[in-house]
Amino acid sequence: MTDSTAALLARPELALADDALVLSHRLGEWAGHAPVLEEEVALANIALDLLGQARALYGELGDEDELAYLREERQFRNCQLTEQPNGDFATTIVRQLFFSRWQELLYGQLTDRPLAVKAVKEVAYHRDHAEHWTLRLGDGTPESHERAQRAVDDLWRYTGELFQPLEGLTVEGHPVDWDTLRVSWDGYVADVLDRATLRVPESPRQSGWRAGAGRQGLHTESFGRMLAEMQHLHRSHPGARW
Amino acid sequence: MTTVLPEQGTDAEAQEFQRAFDTAVAADERIEPRDWMPDDYRATLVRQIAQHAHSEIIGMQPEANWITRAPSLRRKAILLAKVQDEAGHGLYLYSAAETLGVNREELLEKLHSGRQKYSSIFNYPTLTWADVGAIGWLVDGAAITNQVPLCRCSYGPYARAMVRVCKEESFHQRQGYELLLELSRGTEAQHAMAQDAVDRWWWPSLMMFGPPDDESAHSAQSMAWKIKRHSNDELRQRFVDICVPQAEALGLTLPDPDLRWDTESGHWEYGAIDWSEFKAVLRGHGPCNEQRLSQRRAAHESGAWVRAAASAYARKRQPTGARNATGPSPAAEQHVTAGSEGGRPDTDEGPRSREADPR
């Protein structure tokens, strides 16, 4: 990467693309391990949508493979929520609920971008899928309830980062309305958790890193390992076409 | 979904049902779920369709093994879509099997306990990225050669599932071929990777057509019922004839020193297949048999609480009367898998390993 790297890394589209790529990768890890066949289809489907979004956004910025495979951990700008390991099915579902609702609200605002118009339909489906499973798990058996609550509690600390404004992200020349986004997100999540008989945690909504850590290229430990797996083959054959 | 069976009537009635069935098959008419059919025909179909479904599900594993390492985003998207399609094919096929009066849970249970088989090919490991291409080109290619005639199979639901499956498989096969072509024309290391993959997958792919005709115990009956349309050896020959020129176009060789064009027959003659390897893999002694089955079982077992949650949630939303009538446990797994009716007792007689490989 060249001199323009710094400028490129500051582009808000890159952060959105990294979110989509990284979460897509995590969902891809489920293939062959899902609890029912229908979920093999659903999780792969969501992974594919997100990968498509990532590719479209990378395409606006440069070469998609160079951006995905040749940046290092500190140059990725995805929020930490998306890189969290899959854990059990409840963790995956709650991560998806938190992220998809955020994406749905954000893309809903980005009305001047053709990608967002397409993606908002996809993410509404992702959110719907996660919402239904959150209800089933929260209000299912004692075990599923406990697992769902634990997932909510564990992931809560990564939700604050979602509402740190992405510098430079605008709608028809105006900045995105992050406050409205946060208020809508909070209301929605509180309602779904309530219907799922789950509690909204009172714990902090930020990890030990300062807010916006993922956006600054400061990630959690599992992320480096994820990138190592993702990039290994591409990096082993410099310049090759696939 | 319910199967209408004749009353236990007189011999004359039974003969009449048999005659109507034979006439329909002879006239190339489709047998549908509510039609009378011989018990053995039903059992054969249940076994074949279930094993076909199991192959789709187990077959996700060797390819999913490379999703997180795919070397470009385009290839990653193609591979994800393919694995998703395979899960979808599994769903169509389990649905087709359910029209015969079994349910998905009991079929899965048979897969997990090793009483029903899946295609032997998926017991081979995917060691490099090129294996993803070799599977697309050779394994999907062999599957298509096997399955296209099944689009005309006498049992309607199976034939219709195959039409959809074959369309998607053809697409996958093209993509696998294209992946190998890119590698073959790429760097020296990429070319070597492609050749190595073809060397490892060629013979196992030929084995996918099942044992030679003189050792295939159930072929004759399946052909008479028009479940099968061509013999194992016929299909295998057709596959070899298609692959040889394709390998040449790819710039790759096939690992068979005896491969030669026979002008007299107009076919490619190929070397002897190592049937002892095939038998060992079918008996469970291939490179990945244990791993494939244990991953499948682990996914199912670690998902049990999720299925239980979905059932419990659904039960809480049922009207009280229905809740009492259904009772807690039989509905438990059926909710998630939507509407299977386990009306008929098990018709499967366990694996018959001499049969053609199901996929």
Side-chain angles (χ1 to χ4, degrees), chain A residues 1-19 21-22 58 61 65-79 83 213-219 223-224 227 230-231 235:
Chain A
M1 252 166 257
T2 59
D3 276 358
S4 59
T5 304
L8 181 69
L9 292 183
R11 292 280 297 275
E13 293 84 356
L14 188 71
L16 299 182
D18 287 350
D19 283 345
L21 177 75
V22 168
Y58 286 141
L61 302 169
D65 287 336
E66 198 179 320
L67 287 166
Y69 291 98
L70 298 177
R71 274 182 301 151
E72 293 181 0
E73 191 179 351
R74 292 282 281 107
Q75 298 173 313
F76 270 83
R77 298 194 56 216
N78 56 288
C79 58
E83 74 203 29
R215 299 290 186 223
Q216 312 302 321
L218 295 171
H219 294 278
F223 184 59
L227 275 194
M230 185 175 97
Q231 297 182 336
R235 285 180 181 267

Side-chain angles (χ1 to χ4, degrees), chain B residues 46-59 94 107-123 278-285 289 293 348 350-359:
Chain B
V46 167
R47 189 187 66 246
Q48 185 173 336
I49 299 172
Q51 297 189 158
H52 195 158
H54 300 333
S55 301
E56 297 284 355
I57 303 314
I58 298 283
Y94 285 121
L107 298 177
L108 278 175
E109 205 285 313
K110 288 201 169 117
L111 168 65
H112 297 158
S113 60
R115 282 184 294 149
Q116 280 183 342
K117 303 223 175 277
Y118 55 86
S119 181
S120 60
I121 194 81
F122 300 119
N123 292 312
F278 178 67
K279 286 170 189 168
V281 175
L282 277 189
R283 273 199 309 271
H285 305 308
N289 295 59
L293 214 48
D348 182 51
R352 300 180 198 170
S353 56
R354 291 287 86 86
E355 255 306 299
D357 228 12
R359 178 157 164 166

